[in-house]
C-alpha cells in the first residue's frame, strides 16, 4: 500500500542510524534490492486497481477482507494473535482511520490522474511528515525545508495546471462503458490526492510517536479493518448495487491483495538496512515504474508541465532525504 513506502523522514527512527555514511555495504545493497521489489509490487497493485476503477468500492472492500484474513491467520499460526487486542487503543484507531481514509482517497484520485501524476503528488509525504513534526511536536525543522516546500508547491501547481490545463474536446469525447456520475476535474483530483497524502502523513506521525512499538502487520490490520467496516457499511446500508464481478476481476483482486502483502514484506526487510536513508531513496523508483505502466498499458504520457512538476517533487524529496 502506498503509504508504507514513502515512510522514512529525516528525523524518524527509521532513518536516524546513518546520517553521513551512505556507503554501499552488502546489507545496504540487499536493502536497495528489496526496496526496488517493494516499489514494483506497490505500483503493480495501483495498476490493477486502476483497471478496476469503475468497481473501486467493491475492490477495496474485498481487498481489505483478504488482507485481514491472511494477516490474522499469520498472527494466529505464529502465536501473536493476542497482540491485536492488546494493542487496541485510541491511537491505533486513529492510525487506522487516517490511513484507511487516505488509501481510499488516493485510489479514488487515481481514477482521474495518470499513475505518474498520482505517485509524484503522494511522494511529498516526506515533506509533510517534516512539517507536521515541526508544528505538532515543536521539533527542529530540517535544513532547507522552506526551499523544498516552495519547490513542492511549484511542482503541484505544474501537475494540477489550474487555469491553463488543456480541456477535453467535447466534440469528440472519449467513449465510456457507462455514464460517470461522479466525474471530477483534474485539479480536484490532484487536491484529493494531496489530502490523502496529508491523512497518511498524520497516520505515520502518530505511528512514530506511539508509546508501544507495534509490528507493521498490526498497523496494516487496523487500517484494513477500518476500510472493511466503513465500505461494508456503505455497501449494505446504502443499498449499493454490486456490479458484476467476472473471473478476471477476481484474479485481479487476488493479485491486488497479494501485491500488497509482498510489498509490505519487502518494505519491512528493506528498512532494516544500516543505510536506511539511501535505501528509502530507492522507493522513489515507483515514479519510473509508473511512467512505464502509463506508456505501455494505459497509453498515457504526462505532458511537459506534469513531467517538470514530477521532477521538482521527486528531486525536492530526495534532496531533503539525502542532504
Amino acid at each position: 500500500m502506498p503509504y508504507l513506502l514513502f515512510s522514512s523522514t529525516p528525523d524518524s527512527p527509521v532513518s536516524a542510524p546513518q546520517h553521513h555514511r551512505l556507503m554501499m555495504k552488502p546489507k545496504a545493497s540487499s536493502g536497495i534490492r528489496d526496496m526496488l521489489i517493494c516499489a514494483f509490487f506497490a505500483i503493480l497493485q495501483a495498476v490493477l486497481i486502476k483497471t478496476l476503477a469503475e468497481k473501486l468500492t467493491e475492490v477495496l472492500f474485498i481487498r481489505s477482507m483478504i488482507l485481514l484474513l491472511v494477516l490474522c491467520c499469520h498472527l494466529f499460526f505464529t502465536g501473536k494473535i493476542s497482540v491485536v487486542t492488546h494493542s487496541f487503543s485510541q491511537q491505533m484507531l486513529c492510525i487506522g482511520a487516517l490511513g484507511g481514509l487516505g488509501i481510499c482517497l488516493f485510489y479514488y484520485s487515481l481514477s482521474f490522474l495518470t499513475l505518474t501524476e498520482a505517485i509524484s503528488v503522494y511522494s511529498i509525504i516526506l515533506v509533510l511528515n517534516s512539517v507536521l513534526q515541526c508544528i505538532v511536536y515543536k521539533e527542529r525543522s530540517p535544513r532547507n525545508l522552506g526551499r523544498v516546500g516552495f519547490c513542492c508547491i511549484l511542482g503541484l501547481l505544474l501537475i494540477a495546471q489550474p487555469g491553463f490545463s488543456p480541456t477535453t474536446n467535447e466534440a469528440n469525447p472519449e467513449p465510456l462503458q457507462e455514464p460517470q456520475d461522479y466525474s471530477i476535474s483534474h485539479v480536484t483530483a490532484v487536491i484529493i490526492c494531496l489530502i490523502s497524502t496529508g491523512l497518511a502523513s498524520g497516520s505515520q506521525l502518530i505511528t512514530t510517536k506511539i508509546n508501544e512499538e507495534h509490528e507493521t502487520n498490526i498497523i496494516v490490520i487496523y487500517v484494513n479493518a477500518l476500510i472493511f467496516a466503513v465500505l461494508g457499511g456503505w455497501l449494505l446500508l446504502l443499498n449499493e448495487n454490486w456490479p458484476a464481478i467476472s473471473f478476471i476481476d477476481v484474479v485481479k483482486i487476488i493479485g491486488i491483495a497479494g501485491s500488497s502483502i509482498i510489498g509490505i514484506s519487502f518494505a519491512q526487510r528493506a528498512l532494516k538496512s544500516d543505510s536506511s536513508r539511501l535505501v528509502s531513496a530507492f522507493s522513489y523508483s515507483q515514479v519510473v515504474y509508473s511512467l512505464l505502466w502509463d506508456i505501455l498499458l494505459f497509453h498515457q504520457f504526462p505532458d511537459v508541465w506534469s513531467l517538470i512538476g514530477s521532477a521538482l517533487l521527486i528531486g525536492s524529496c530526495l534532496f531533503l532525504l539525502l542532504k
Side-chain angles (χ1 to χ4, degrees), residues 180-307:
Q180 288 189 349
D181 297 330
Y182 304 103
S183 179
I184 60 175
S185 68
H186 184 80
V187 176
T188 305
V190 171
I191 293 173
I192 291 175
C193 187
L194 185 60
I195 292 172
S196 75
T197 309
L199 292 171
S201 178
S203 176
Q204 290 185 15
L205 189 68
I206 300 173
T207 302
T208 57
K209 294 299 180 180
I210 199 169
N211 292 331
E212 298 180 55
E213 291 188 3
H214 300 297
E215 293 184 22
T216 302
N217 289 341
I218 302 299
I219 296 173
V220 174
I221 286 175
Y222 274 88
V223 169
N224 283 279
L226 268 293
I227 295 176
F228 179 80
V230 172
L231 295 186
W234 174 275
L235 293 170
L236 294 176
L237 299 179
L238 297 183
N239 196 25
E240 284 280 323
N241 294 322
W242 282 64
I245 298 179
S246 65
F247 176 75
I248 299 298
D249 294 340
V250 173
V251 173
K252 287 182 179 179
I253 294 172
I254 294 174
I256 290 167
S259 298
S260 181
I261 294 171
I262 295 172
I264 292 169
S265 301
F266 277 98
Q268 288 176 317
R269 289 175 48 180
L271 292 176
K272 291 178 181 177
S273 168
D274 290 336
S275 301
S276 57
R277 278 176 175 261
L278 180 61
V279 170
S280 296
F282 281 85
S283 65
Y284 292 90
S285 61
Q286 290 178 93
V287 178
V288 178
Y289 294 137
S290 299
L291 185 59
L292 291 176
W293 281 111
D294 277 336
I295 296 172
L296 298 178
L297 180 62
F298 299 110
H299 306 293
Q300 297 173 329
F301 192 86
D303 58 31
V304 176
W305 296 115
S306 293
L307 288 176

Side-chain angles (χ1 to χ4, degrees), residues 43-295:
I43 297 304
L44 178 61
Q45 178 185 191
V47 168
L48 293 173
I49 290 178
K50 190 174 176 66
T51 61
L52 297 170
E54 71 279 2
K55 306 171 184 176
L56 181 62
T57 305
E58 293 76 20
V59 168
L60 292 180
F61 173 74
I62 298 174
R63 166 191 174 274
S64 63
M65 180 178 64
I66 295 174
L67 285 175
L68 284 173
L69 288 174
V70 172
L71 293 176
C72 286
C73 287
H74 170 72
L75 293 176
F76 176 79
F77 287 111
T78 55
K80 298 179 180 179
I81 192 64
S82 60
V83 178
V84 177
T85 54
H86 292 162
S87 62
F88 182 82
S89 64
Q90 291 182 346
Q91 292 98 328
M92 291 299 291
L93 286 177
C94 191
I95 290 171
L98 292 175
L101 181 58
I103 289 172
C104 293
L105 288 179
F106 172 80
Y107 286 123
Y108 177 71
S109 69
L110 189 59
S111 304
F112 307 95
L113 299 172
T114 65
L115 273 171
T116 307
E117 291 170 340
I119 294 299
S120 297
V121 172
Y122 204 91
S123 68
I124 68 169
I125 191 171
L126 178 71
V127 180
L128 292 179
N129 285 348
S130 299
V131 172
L132 286 177
Q133 285 177 355
C134 298
I135 296 174
V136 178
Y137 297 112
K138 310 297 182 184
E139 295 184 3
R140 183 180 177 183
S141 62
R143 286 172 132 191
N144 300 312
L145 181 60
R147 295 177 183 176
V148 169
F150 174 79
C151 290
C152 287
I153 292 173
L154 181 58
L156 289 171
L157 289 174
L158 289 173
I159 291 177
Q161 300 176 28
F164 62 93
S165 57
T167 56
T168 305
N169 186 358
E170 296 182 359
N172 298 299
E174 295 183 2
L176 298 175
Q177 295 180 352
E178 55 185 45
Q180 288 189 349
D181 297 330
Y182 304 103
S183 179
I184 60 175
S185 68
H186 184 80
V187 176
T188 305
V190 171
I191 293 173
I192 291 175
C193 187
L194 185 60
I195 292 172
S196 75
T197 309
L199 292 171
S201 178
S203 176
Q204 290 185 15
L205 189 68
I206 300 173
T207 302
T208 57
K209 294 299 180 180
I210 199 169
N211 292 331
E212 298 180 55
E213 291 188 3
H214 300 297
E215 293 184 22
T216 302
N217 289 341
I218 302 299
I219 296 173
V220 174
I221 286 175
Y222 274 88
V223 169
N224 283 279
L226 268 293
I227 295 176
F228 179 80
V230 172
L231 295 186
W234 174 275
L235 293 170
L236 294 176
L237 299 179
L238 297 183
N239 196 25
E240 284 280 323
N241 294 322
W242 282 64
I245 298 179
S246 65
F247 176 75
I248 299 298
D249 294 340
V250 173
V251 173
K252 287 182 179 179
I253 294 172
I254 294 174
I256 290 167
S259 298
S260 181
I261 294 171
I262 295 172
I264 292 169
S265 301
F266 277 98
Q268 288 176 317
R269 289 175 48 180
L271 292 176
K272 291 178 181 177
S273 168
D274 290 336
S275 301
S276 57
R277 278 176 175 261
L278 180 61
V279 170
S280 296
F282 281 85
S283 65
Y284 292 90
S285 61
Q286 290 178 93
V287 178
V288 178
Y289 294 137
S290 299
L291 185 59
L292 291 176
W293 281 111
D294 277 336
I295 296 172

